[in-house]
Amino acid sequence: MVAAGAHRPGPLKQQNKAHKGGKHSGASQRRAGGRVSVKAQPRRRIRDLSRVDRRHQALQLRRQRKEAVLAEKRSLGSRDGPPHLVVLVPLHSRAAAQDTLPLLQGQDSAVVCVREGRAGGFALLCPRLKQRWRFVTAQAGEEMPFLGVVSWLCTRASLSNGGVLCAGDLYAVLDLAKVADSLLFILDPADGWDSTGEYCLSCLFAQGLPSYALAVPGGSDLPPKKRIDARKKLAKAIEKRFPEAKLFPLNTEQESSLLLRHLATQKQRRLAFRDRRAHLLAYAAEFLPGQESDLVGTLKVSGFVRGQTLDVNSLVHIVGHGDFQMSQVDAPPDPLSLNPRVVKGQKRSQDMEIQDDSVNGTDEMEEDVKVLMKADPNKQESLQSEVVPDPMEGEQTWPTEEELQEAEASLKASRKVVKVPKGTSKYQAAWIVDDEEEGNQEDDDDEDNDIDDDMMEEAVSQEGESSEEEEEPVEEECETMTVSECLRDDQYDEKVEEDEEMLERYKQERMDEMFPDEVDTPRDVPARVRFQKYRGLKSFRTSPWDPKENLPRDYARIFQFQDFSRTRKHLFRQIEKEETEGASVGWYVTLHVCNVPVSVMESFKEGKPLVLFSLLPHEQKMSVLNFLVRRHPSTSEPVKAKEELIFHCGFRRFRASPLFSQHTSADKHKLERFLRLDAALVVTVYAPITFPPASVLLFKQRNNGMHDLIATGSLLSVDPDRIIIKRLVLSGHPFKIFTKTAVVRYMFFSREDVMWFKPVELRTKWGRRGHIKEPLGTHGHMKCHFDGQLKSQDTVLLNLYKRVFPKWTFDPHVPEPVPWVRSESTLPVQEVEME
């Protein structure tokens, strides 16, 4: 009997695994289905080295690196290299106040001391050791007599006070440390350094410290036992700042020779921002007025090239004065040559010879000047720092005459008469609101970058200035009656006003710590109008935000790289390969710098150092710079965002009003309203492009002109696409609480506002999440649904976000600071009481 149908397996039939084809060649060819993979032919065959060959190759590389380091070390201060530049920095007001015995006698009779004129300082030439040094003295503290070290190192040379910089000139110390090969700190035998010296050390460590040595002159008048105790106490004091430093006493000739030997043989510490750029410290300078004006002309700066090869077609930056072009580079004779020329009629004695500038001076330099190179206009870098935006770029149509006439008529009709402060421009007057509209801006934060807020602040500041000007003649009348009492009263009133202003700042900072980003909803302005530029985000971390959306007009003026890191690597690779042609390191050259204001020469005549840095390509162009900084522990005053700060970035100085934001790995970064004490923040400003690494110092100017160090850090990136998000938090109170719903009030005050913000997600301080279901009534009450029951003490929050951009407040001219004195804060943070 035939079966009716075939057997079908049930659901419980065993299912065995399929057989794996294996990884042999036949199976892979069958799986490929006849396709043949293309084999990538290598350009060159890498030969596998044996164990002995690998050891030999590593030994050769290590030997090459060692020889390169030794060659660089030997060239410093030699005949072919630049003189060893040593900057003397006294760290105490009593440091080296006493003159001791001359040091350069006996075995150092061959040393030639050359006096410098306007540049200040002195030089030591030692043909026997084939070494030459240049010493420059920087004054960090209060003004005092010329250092005894100078008289030691120049036995019979009569040095003028031009070697000492003006009192308390911190910028001169920082500028000289940028180009110095070694720093020689002069300590006090008893205390080491004072508060000004501590402040100077903080700035130097933050900027980048080159090789250094510690010298302690004096102390010989103490008894031997007390001298040993003082030395131990001083060694213990410097252990924190200089853990492995060695103290060098300066009382005898032998000790001075040991110090010079240590300066010549110690390992040189590298500063990255100067090693990749050519730089020089001016030895002599001459100003030639231009044909059109005596205020602008050509500055001829002479000095020794350091760092890298100097190209005449590149731009140079004069520290503190700006960027300039060069027309030519000359090669005058070296004034600090180890084999100086002997003038006819003078016989060189066996003892130490002192040469003035008249021997190796400008007369001889003018006779033997050779032109090394002249600038090529086709290859020369441009001084253009900003892009000139075209307002009609992207326009498809041109307005007709009728449309232009209608626009003019509408402008005339919209004009109205408004009372404005004295000195207000038409543009500023157009943005000043009436008394009825002033309430719209009261609840906005100071760091909101709306145009109307900026103009209101500017108008109010100008109104305050005009009122002060009006009160000046009244003060003069009071001065004619009772001078001392009136002055005391005015100074006391000003101090009280400063204390009240500082107290208000402390309160704002404390409020921001306790209630971050929370604002009160305005009652006289609809919330949908007040916060119309803000948006809600599902997630601050993952929600998308286009970096090219709604960019400000200032972004049309800046430059942006397609790939900044790739450009930086390409430039640094060219520097390492030494492909640049120009004046080599160690040459004594004269730079002809074009279109320089006469103020540069005046500052040089006053004794301030003149430091020049060559710029890498694109470093004169403006962009958005991001610095990673941390608050300095010496300051406790609150620092608000968009306050004017002074930046020392690498070799540049400028003023700007920065934004503070969090340092995270996400694509969006939250704005911080104050500079935090406990975290590193990112500072964003418009500034000229600088290729990292570069250190940065942030200073804040007091009302009396002193500059306080408030933060230190480094350059993070040059990125205009970094998104900084400002967050606003609206808070409400649960009025009636149910299982998973609640009635919330005080967040809004109208039904329309509740409907407008209905799509935005809610959260609470205790971690609940929810959304708005519907409005209740007409006074802003709303019914909300949450993922759990609320607590009665909980607070309902609604987050709003808006992208912000820095203000264009870049100013390359920084005022000179007055001598620094430690300020004692009268309002400690712990004593600020909150209402």
Side-chain angles (χ1 to χ4, degrees), residues 312-315 325-327 375-382 594:
V312 69
N313 293 318
S314 62
L315 300 178
Q325 288 180 331
M326 292 182 290
S327 59
D376 186 1
N378 298 326
K379 298 181 181 180
Q380 197 171 24
E381 287 282 343
S382 173
C594 304

Side-chain angles (χ1 to χ4, degrees), residues 23 391 529 550 593 787 794 810:
K23 297 184 180 180
V529 176
N550 294 334
V593 188
D787 57 357
D794 205 350
F810 173 79

Side-chain angles (χ1 to χ4, degrees), residues 658-673:
L659 292 180
F660 304 142
S661 59
Q662 294 180 352
H663 179 50
T664 59
S665 59
D667 60 340
K668 295 181 291 295
H669 311 274
K670 192 179 81 69
L671 176 77
E672 292 289 344
R673 289 171 169 80

Side-chain angles (χ1 to χ4, degrees), residues 352-371:
M352 183 184 65
E353 181 181 353
I354 302 175
Q355 296 182 349
D356 295 336
D357 286 339
S358 59
V359 178
N360 270 337
T362 57
D363 299 337
E364 183 178 339
M365 289 168 56
E366 291 176 358
E367 293 177 1
D368 300 337
V369 167
K370 298 178 183 179
V371 179

